[in-house]
């Protein structure tokens, strides 16, 4: 397996501290994993490893996606975009309600929703002009290199729970 993408958060004066590593063997029905290593206030480390076999991961996206937990856009999630077949795996941050912003995230098993085949790279971006409501947050922009098209996706709880 090889490393496809890495995301880290935290500095000496800023918490939470965690590192996420997306890995894949590059095969459609191969081995893929997301490892999240968190450092807690007591300097203990905890590691979460998620693995799956469907799709070829392309990008690791980090953000507070619209609709997953309306009204709490400080809670950060991970999403893994796969190229073939096209879908996004969303790893929800399940730290307890009322937790401090600086607490190290804990992630649930991923939930999948479909996107069009041919997805390439992805980024998350704050888009206050997409929804003029309290549910403002991030969206995922996904490029389709074969066509030159860039599409935006706004994951919602309903969309996530309807695709298995």
């Amino acid at each position: 397996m090889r490393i496809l993408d890495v995301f880290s958060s935290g500095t000496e004066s800023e918490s939470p501290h965690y590192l996420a590593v997306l890995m894949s063997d590059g095969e459609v029905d191969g081995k893929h994993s997301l490892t999240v290593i968190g450092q807690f206030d007591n300097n203990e480390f905890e590691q979460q490893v998620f693995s799956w076999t469907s799709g070829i991961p392309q990008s690791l996206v980090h953000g507070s996606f619209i609709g997953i937990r309306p009204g709490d856009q400080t809670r950060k999630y991970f999403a893994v975009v796969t190229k073939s077949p096209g879908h996004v795996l969303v790893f929800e941050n399940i730290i307890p309600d009322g937790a401090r912003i600086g607490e190290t995230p804990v992630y649930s098993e991923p939930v999948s929703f479909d996107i069009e085949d041919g997805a390439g790279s992805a980024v998350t971006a704050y888009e206050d002009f997409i929804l003029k409501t309290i549910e403002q947050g991030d969206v995922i922009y996904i490029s389709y290199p074969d066509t030159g098209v860039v599409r935006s996706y706004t994951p919602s709880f309903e969309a996530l729970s309807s695709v298995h």
Side-chain angles (χ1 to χ4, degrees), residues 21-36:
V21 180
L22 177 63
M23 298 178 70
S24 174
D25 66 3
E27 301 293 325
V28 172
D29 292 321
K31 297 178 183 176
H32 320 294
S33 71
L34 174 66
T35 302
V36 181

Side-chain angles (χ1 to χ4, degrees), residues 5-150:
D5 209 349
V6 176
F7 176 85
S8 65
S9 173
T11 64
E12 281 189 43
S13 61
E14 177 187 304
S15 64
H17 300 95
Y18 58 98
L19 173 72
V21 180
L22 177 63
M23 298 178 70
S24 174
D25 66 3
E27 301 293 325
V28 172
D29 292 321
K31 297 178 183 176
H32 320 294
S33 71
L34 174 66
T35 302
V36 181
I37 302 167
Q39 181 182 12
F40 293 87
D41 291 338
N42 60 5
N43 287 328
E44 293 291 320
F45 290 90
E46 185 172 299
Q47 175 176 296
Q48 287 186 276
V49 179
F50 302 96
S51 59
W52 63 96
T53 58
S54 172
I56 302 175
Q58 296 296 300
S59 303
L60 179 61
V61 184
H62 182 250
S64 53
F65 307 123
I66 294 171
I68 293 178
R69 194 178 291 261
D72 184 3
Q73 297 306 316
T74 60
R75 190 179 295 243
K76 300 297 184 183
Y77 308 96
F78 280 112
V80 172
V81 178
T82 66
K83 182 174 184 179
S84 176
H87 62 268
V88 173
L89 300 174
V90 174
F91 297 81
E92 183 182 357
N93 178 355
I94 56 171
I95 60 172
D97 288 338
R100 296 175 298 127
I101 292 173
E103 287 194 32
T104 302
V106 176
Y107 292 95
S108 66
E109 290 294 321
V111 179
S112 175
F113 67 96
D114 292 335
I115 60 173
E116 294 179 35
D117 283 352
S121 61
V123 296
T124 182
Y126 186 79
E127 288 298 321
D128 60 359
F129 61 86
I130 288 182
L131 290 179
K132 296 288 186 186
T133 70
I134 194 167
E135 297 179 0
Q136 294 174 352
D138 294 340
V139 297
I140 301 174
Y141 283 103
I142 299 175
S143 68
Y144 292 83
D146 296 341
T147 62
V149 171
V150 175

